[in-house]
C-alpha cells in the first residue's frame, strides 16, 4: 500500500495554493510555515502518515469536526526521520473541510442546479488521499463575492457538492470507479443571484460506500477513480442540451 508522508502532505498543500509556505531568511534558520491537511484528534491532530501534530499555541476553540486544514509554523530541526510527533504553532484557526450532511458518496444522485467552474487536470495536484477511504479534493465554483464576510458566509452556505455513484452501471470487469460531483445551490426567495466570481473550497469525502459498491460487483478495488461534473468556465449556468461531463481521472494507489 502506498503511504503519503508528512512532508509530501505539506508540499501538496503548498501546490494547492491555499497554504502559507515560507522559510525565514538565513541558511541556519529552520523555522518554516506550511499548510497541512490533518485529522482532528481532540487536543492535537494527525497527519496522513500518522505523525501527531501538536499545537503549542493558537488553539482557541473546541473543534468538533473530523478533517481540517491548518496553517502552522514549526522548527524543521525538531523533525527527524524517526519523529512520531511535531510541535507547531497555529497561524490561524483550523478550517474544517468536512462535507455537509448527505454530501458523501451515495447511490442516490442529486441533480445539479449549477455548474462547477472547472474540473481539469490542473486540479490533480490538489487531490490528496488522506487514507484509503478519504479523498481530499479542491472544488472550484462560481459564487457571489462581497466585501462583507457575513454575506460571503451566507452565500457559501447555499452551495452543496454531493457525490454520487451508479451501482447499476458498475460491471464485473470495471477498473474505474466513477463519482459524479453534483453542485446544488439552494436559493432563498425568488431573487436571481448573479455569481460572476469563482473560488475554491476543499472537501474531505469518505469513499467507503462507493468502494464497497464497486467491490461487491468486481471483487476488487478500483485502479482509478474518475470524477465527473457539469462545468462552465464562462458563466454560472448549466449548458443547455449538453449531456457531456468534464472528467478527471486519478490513480487509486491502494491494494485490496
Amino acid at each position: 500500500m502506498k503511504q503519503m508522508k508528512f512532508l509530501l502532505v505539506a508540499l501538496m498543500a503548498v501546490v494547492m495554493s491555499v497554504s502559507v509556505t515560507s522559510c525565514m531568511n538565513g541558511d541556519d534558520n529552520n523555522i518554516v510555515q506550511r499548510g497541512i491537511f490533518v485529522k482532528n484528534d481532540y487536543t492535537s491532530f494527525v497527519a496522513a502518515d500518522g505523525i501527531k501534530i501538536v499545537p503549542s499555541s493558537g488553539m482557541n476553540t473546541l473543534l468538533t469536526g473530523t478533517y481540517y486544514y491548518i496553517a502552522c509554523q514549526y522548527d524543521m530541526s525538531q523533525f527527524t526521520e524517526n519523529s512520531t510527533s511535531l510541535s507547531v504553532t497555529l497561524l490561524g484557526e483550523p478550517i474544517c473541510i468536512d462535507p455537509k450532511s448527505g454530501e458523501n458518496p451515495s447511490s442516490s444522485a442529486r441533480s445539479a442546479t449549477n455548474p462547477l467552474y472547472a474540473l481539469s487536470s490542473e486540479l490533480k495536484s490538489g487531490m490528496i488521499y488522506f487514507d484509503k477511504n478519504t479523498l481530499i479534493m479542491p472544488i472550484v465554483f462560481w459564487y457571489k463575492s462581497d466585501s462583507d464576510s457575513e454575506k460571503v458566509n451566507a452565500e457559501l452556505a447555499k452551495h452543496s457538492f454531493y457525490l454520487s455513484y451508479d451501482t447499476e452501471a458498475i460491471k464485473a470487469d470495471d477498473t474505474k470507479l466513477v463519482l459524479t460531483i453534483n453542485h446544488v445551490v439552494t436559493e432563498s426567495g425568488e431573487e436571481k443571484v448573479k455569481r460572476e466570481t469563482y473560488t475554491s473550497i476543499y472537501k474531505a469525502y469518505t469513499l467507503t460506500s462507493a468502494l464497497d459498491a464497486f467491490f461487491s460487483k468486481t471483487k476488487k478495488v478500483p485502479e482509478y477513480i474518475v470524477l465527473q461534473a457539469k462545468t462552465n468556465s464562462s458563466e454560472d449556468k448549466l449548458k443547455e442540451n449538453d449531456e457531456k461531463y468534464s472528467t478527471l481521472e486519478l490513480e487509486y494507489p491502494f491494494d485490496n
Side-chain angles (χ1 to χ4, degrees):
M1 181 182 294
K2 300 177 184 177
Q3 294 294 332
M4 189 173 296
K5 299 302 180 183
F6 169 81
L7 293 180
L8 177 58
V9 176
L11 176 61
M12 292 296 285
V14 174
V15 173
M16 283 183 286
S17 77
V18 293
S19 63
V20 179
T21 306
S22 67
C23 292
M24 303 303 179
N25 293 331
D27 293 338
D28 297 328
N29 198 323
N30 292 302
I31 303 300
V32 297
Q33 297 177 349
R34 279 204 169 94
I36 310 170
F37 290 111
V38 293
K39 189 173 184 179
N40 184 16
D41 195 30
Y42 301 103
T43 58
S44 61
F45 301 102
V46 178
D49 64 346
I51 296 293
K52 188 174 185 179
I53 309 297
V54 183
S56 59
S57 62
M59 184 83 83
N60 298 322
T61 58
L62 178 64
L63 303 179
T64 58
T66 302
Y67 291 98
Y68 285 84
Y69 167 80
I70 60 171
C72 62
Q73 175 177 294
Y74 60 90
D75 186 343
M76 192 65 184
S77 67
Q78 301 301 310
F79 185 76
T80 67
E81 184 178 350
N82 297 320
S83 295
T84 59
S85 65
L86 181 67
S87 177
V88 305
T89 299
L90 297 180
L91 300 177
E93 292 297 323
I95 300 173
C96 186
I97 57 172
D98 291 347
K100 297 178 184 177
S101 176
E103 284 186 330
N104 276 314
S106 170
S107 58
S108 300
R110 296 282 299 268
S111 296
T113 61
N114 297 67
L116 297 187
Y117 176 82
L119 184 66
S120 60
S121 59
E122 287 78 8
L123 296 177
K124 266 193 175 182
S125 60
M127 303 286 179
I128 291 179
Y129 291 102
F130 194 89
D131 54 42
K132 67 179 182 180
N133 291 314
T134 308
L135 175 62
I136 297 174
M137 70 170 74
I139 298 176
V140 187
F141 61 100
W142 294 97
Y143 85 115
K144 182 181 179 181
S145 62
D146 198 288
S147 58
D148 186 328
S149 61
E150 290 188 4
K151 290 183 178 180
V152 170
N153 289 335
E155 161 66 12
L156 294 178
K158 298 177 181 179
H159 297 258
S160 297
F161 304 92
Y162 299 96
L163 255 62
S164 64
Y165 53 91
D166 186 348
T167 304
E168 298 301 319
I170 302 173
K171 307 304 179 185
D173 59 349
D174 281 349
T175 60
K176 300 177 181 181
L177 170 60
V178 179
L179 298 175
T180 303
I181 306 171
N182 309 284
H183 181 196
V184 177
V185 179
T186 304
E187 300 284 15
S188 56
E190 298 181 359
E191 180 184 1
K192 180 62 176 179
V193 178
K194 294 187 67 175
R195 298 181 170 91
E196 301 176 312
T197 307
Y198 64 89
T199 188
S200 64
I201 60 173
Y202 292 82
K203 297 274 188 178
Y205 288 102
T206 300
L207 305 181
T208 307
S209 66
L211 291 169
D212 287 347
F214 187 88
F215 188 86
S216 69
K217 290 291 190 73
T218 66
K219 308 307 177 188
K220 60 182 183 291
V221 298
E223 296 179 18
Y224 298 91
I225 288 180
V226 177
L227 302 171
Q228 64 177 23
K230 296 293 181 66
T231 63
N232 190 339
S233 59
S234 298
E235 60 179 336
D236 178 38
K237 183 179 180 181
L238 291 172
K239 297 176 182 177
E240 293 184 9
N241 304 318
D242 185 1
E243 297 301 321
K244 295 181 180 179
Y245 286 94
S246 297
T247 62
L248 181 60
E249 185 172 292
L250 307 170
E251 181 184 2
Y252 183 71
F254 301 97
D255 302 324
N256 285 314

